[in-house]
Amino acid sequence: LLLLGLFVGMGVVGFLDDWLKISRARSLGLDSKSKLIGQAVVAIAFAWAALSLPDERGLAPASPAASFLRDLSWLQLPFALAIVWIVFVIAAMSNGVNLSDGLDGLATGLSTMVFAAYALVNIWQNNQSCAAISTAGPQCYEVRDPRDLAALAMAMAGACFGFLWWNASPAKIFM
C-alpha cells in the first residue's frame, strides 16, 4: 500500500508535467526545480511513512540501517539522514528512468529485469523469513511483507513486459 502511494504520488508529478506540455502546446512542462520539489515532497512523505509505521512484529517497511545481505546494525543512520538518503535514492531512480524513457523501450526493458530480480530476492527472503522459521538465527531474514513485495514486483515486471510486447515495431501503444 505504501509503494502504491509512492507510485501514485510520482504519477501525479509526471501527469502534471505532461498536462502542462499539452495545455501549453509546447514541449516545456514543469521546470527542473518544480519537478524536483514535487518529487521531494512525495519522497519525504514516503520515507517518513516507511520508517515510522511498524507492523505487529515491530518491523517498519524501511530500515535506517545500511544493508548489504542484511541490515548492518553498526551502520544505523539517524532518522533525518535516513529520510534524506531515501529521498535521494527515489529522486535519482525517478530521474534516471525519465532520462532513458525516450530510447525505444530502454527504460521499460531495464525496469522489467529489475522488477524480476526484486521478485526473486523477495521470494528468497520469504522462504528464509525469521517469522516462518521456528528457530531464528543467522540463516533467516527479518523482512516485512516479502510475499507482498514479490507479488508487486512480478506485477510490475509483467506490466513492463506487456508494454514491450505491444511497443514492438510497429508500435501499437506508446509510453
Side-chain angles (χ1 to χ4, degrees), residues 51-95:
L51 289 169
S52 302
L53 299 175
D55 64 358
E56 63 277 353
R57 293 184 302 145
L59 291 174
S63 170
S67 177
F68 293 98
L69 294 177
R70 59 185 77 248
D71 284 352
L72 301 175
S73 59
W74 56 270
L75 194 52
Q76 290 266 13
L77 298 174
F79 187 80
L81 190 58
I83 287 182
V84 169
W85 176 247
I86 292 171
V87 169
F88 171 76
V89 168
I90 289 172
M93 295 287 186
S94 175
N95 288 304

Side-chain angles (χ1 to χ4, degrees), residues 86-175:
I86 292 171
V87 169
F88 171 76
V89 168
I90 289 172
M93 295 287 186
S94 175
N95 288 304
V97 169
N98 196 22
L99 288 174
S100 63
D101 186 27
L103 300 175
D104 293 336
L106 176 64
T108 309
L110 294 173
S111 296
T112 302
M113 290 183 275
V114 168
F115 285 127
Y118 281 155
L120 290 175
V121 167
N122 282 294
I123 289 168
W124 174 265
Q125 289 176 332
N126 181 61
N127 292 339
Q128 307 300 321
S129 173
C130 293
I133 298 175
S134 60
T135 57
Q139 272 70 32
C140 68
Y141 292 94
E142 195 67 54
V143 180
R144 180 172 165 182
D145 307 324
R147 192 176 303 151
D148 295 343
L149 292 173
L152 179 65
M154 285 308 295
M156 295 298 289
C160 289
F161 186 77
F163 171 79
L164 282 176
W165 182 266
W166 291 104
N167 194 41
S169 184
K172 299 197 179 27
I173 60 170
F174 299 93
M175 192 179 294

Side-chain angles (χ1 to χ4, degrees), residues 9-21 27-43 87 90-99 101:
M10 287 298 186
V12 167
V13 173
F15 174 79
L16 184 59
D17 182 41
D18 292 344
W19 182 75
L20 287 173
K21 288 176 187 175
S27 64
L28 302 173
L30 288 173
D31 62 338
S32 58
K33 184 178 179 182
S34 299
K35 191 179 292 187
L36 279 174
I37 289 171
Q39 290 172 346
V41 167
V42 171
V87 169
I90 289 172
M93 295 287 186
S94 175
N95 288 304
V97 169
N98 196 22
L99 288 174
D101 186 27

